[in-house]
Amino acid sequence: MHHVGVLALDGVFPFELGIPARIFGAARDQEGRPLYTVTTCSLDGGPVRSEADYDLAVSHDATLLGTVDTVVIPPSRALGPIREEGRLPDALREALAAIRPGTRIVGICTATYVLAAAGLLDHRPATTHWREADRLQRMFTTTRIDPDVLFVDDGDILTSAGVAAGIDLCLHLVRRDHGSRIANDVARSCIVPPWRDGGQAQYIQRPVPGPTASGTAAAQAWAMERLAEPLTLADLAAHAHMSVRTFSRRFREETGTTPSQWLVRQRVDLARNYLETTDWPVDLVAARSGLGTGASLRQHLHAAIGVSPQHYRRTFRPTAGAAAG
């Protein structure tokens, strides 16, 4: 069983601290057996001050980090010299140095400062909360900070933006480890979206419409049930009872993208699910997901994640004999 160790630092944000246990703890195989065990530690095994108005008791010290398969570090409001000077306190430096080579390391939100100060992000891509991105880049000039994405997967080192982006990153890891079927089950259990691509924008610069304004959510839901059909912008606007111009403007305000870009993303996600869970030929996957031809699927999948349908299927199929849909 894959062992996840979570390091709680003083000033930890309770919400983000709970994400790994909630997401990984919900992952089960087809027989209902847990796929991960999650253990939380502090540097000395003692209580941890949280960012909220209470302390947290843990049962393990940081020697745990040398025994696990994945280390997750949630953000803290009390980073002190890490954020101000780019310097790790001795106890934290020793704890991180004890992590075994090959261990997967995850930093959520401002925990990216911890990974950068430890030298783990030199000449590597990363992200953090958009409010901290400029400061982090100035402090650690060899790290390639992308402030506009939800998370960055660089193999053995992964970083996310703030708050809910930690959920997206942990779901991504479940998907990477066990495929979309189990990740989708986890998402349903936790009542969160099953997939927000890492390249999705962290935030939308335009104001979100007020609660009394007519929205495009119903049109999005309608389209999600018809992705295999030829859908036009006019179709979506008509379903929302808006003009094409008004619908396009409101759609971008609410999602940060255009209707056509959104449709392609949903169709690619559907195609990925089919590649993982069926034995359908690529042309059939393309047709059932609304991408038309195998050539179109190859083009869009490569643009999205840089691999071919065959390579994706080999990587993410949990077993070679997955049942056809």
Side-chain angles (χ1 to χ4, degrees):
M1 186 184 301
H2 191 102
H3 192 180
V4 178
V6 183
L7 176 60
L9 300 173
D10 275 339
V12 68
F13 287 81
F15 178 87
E16 289 88 330
L17 176 65
I19 289 173
R22 193 67 184 91
I23 298 299
F24 294 119
R28 297 286 192 273
D29 65 15
Q30 292 183 345
E31 286 73 40
R33 295 171 299 202
L35 294 168
Y36 301 88
T37 181
V38 182
T39 308
T40 304
C41 68
S42 64
L43 288 176
D44 60 3
V48 177
R49 292 182 295 106
S50 77
E51 180 269 343
D53 61 340
Y54 51 83
D55 293 344
L56 302 166
V58 298
S59 301
H60 302 273
D61 63 27
T63 57
L64 171 80
L65 304 184
T67 68
V68 300
D69 305 297
T70 294
V71 171
V72 180
I73 307 177
S76 164
R77 189 180 289 279
L79 291 177
I82 304 171
R83 182 177 179 274
E84 300 301 324
E85 307 168 23
R87 176 176 58 84
L88 291 179
D90 291 341
L92 180 54
R93 182 185 303 106
E94 293 171 5
L96 298 180
I99 297 174
R100 296 174 299 174
T103 300
R104 189 163 60 187
I105 303 177
V106 178
I108 298 176
C109 191
T110 56
T112 304
Y113 276 103
V114 176
L115 305 190
L120 297 172
L121 297 178
D122 292 348
H123 307 291
R124 300 184 73 157
T127 191
T128 189
H129 193 290
W130 60 269
R131 284 197 179 100
E132 294 290 332
D134 287 345
R135 180 187 182 91
L136 187 66
Q137 186 65 85
R138 290 194 303 269
M139 182 171 291
F140 302 99
T141 56
T142 64
T143 302
R144 303 191 301 275
I145 301 297
D146 187 342
D148 296 322
V149 298
L150 293 177
F151 60 83
V152 171
D153 180 345
D154 196 37
D156 60 334
I157 303 287
L158 301 95
T159 51
S160 83
V163 197
I167 296 175
D168 297 303
L169 179 51
C170 289
L171 276 174
H172 168 73
L173 286 174
V174 174
R175 183 185 180 97
R176 198 176 93 172
D177 292 345
H178 299 288
S180 66
R181 180 173 294 172
I182 289 176
N184 290 344
D185 287 343
V186 171
R188 282 192 292 271
S189 173
C190 298
I191 318 178
V192 295
W195 179 257
R196 290 198 301 168
D197 186 75
Q200 182 173 329
Q202 281 194 33
Y203 66 103
I204 301 167
Q205 296 186 24
R206 297 183 181 181
V208 176
T212 60
S214 298
T216 64
Q220 294 177 45
W222 177 81
M224 289 290 288
E225 298 297 323
R226 297 165 176 80
L227 291 176
E229 302 174 13
L231 299 174
T232 67
L233 176 58
D235 294 332
L236 293 169
H239 187 80
H241 306 292
M242 300 179 190
S243 68
V244 168
R245 181 177 180 180
T246 298
F247 180 83
S248 298
R249 174 175 56 81
R250 290 187 178 168
F251 194 97
R252 193 172 188 94
E253 287 173 347
E254 294 174 17
T255 68
T257 189
T258 67
S260 61
Q261 292 169 335
W262 179 87
L263 271 175
V264 168
R265 180 180 297 159
Q266 305 313 312
R267 285 167 167 159
V268 168
D269 287 348
L270 181 59
R272 291 165 70 168
N273 182 64
Y274 288 148
L275 288 170
E276 295 178 25
T277 60
T278 76
D279 292 316
W280 294 347
V282 170
D283 284 337
L284 180 57
V285 170
R288 293 290 181 89
S289 57
L291 292 171
T293 66
S296 176
L297 170 57
R298 292 183 188 94
Q299 176 185 349
H300 287 298
L301 189 63
H302 192 275
I305 57 176
V307 300
S308 68
Q310 292 86 351
H311 184 276
Y312 185 86
R313 176 170 266 164
R314 287 195 302 268
T315 301
F316 285 96
R317 284 289 287 273
T319 63

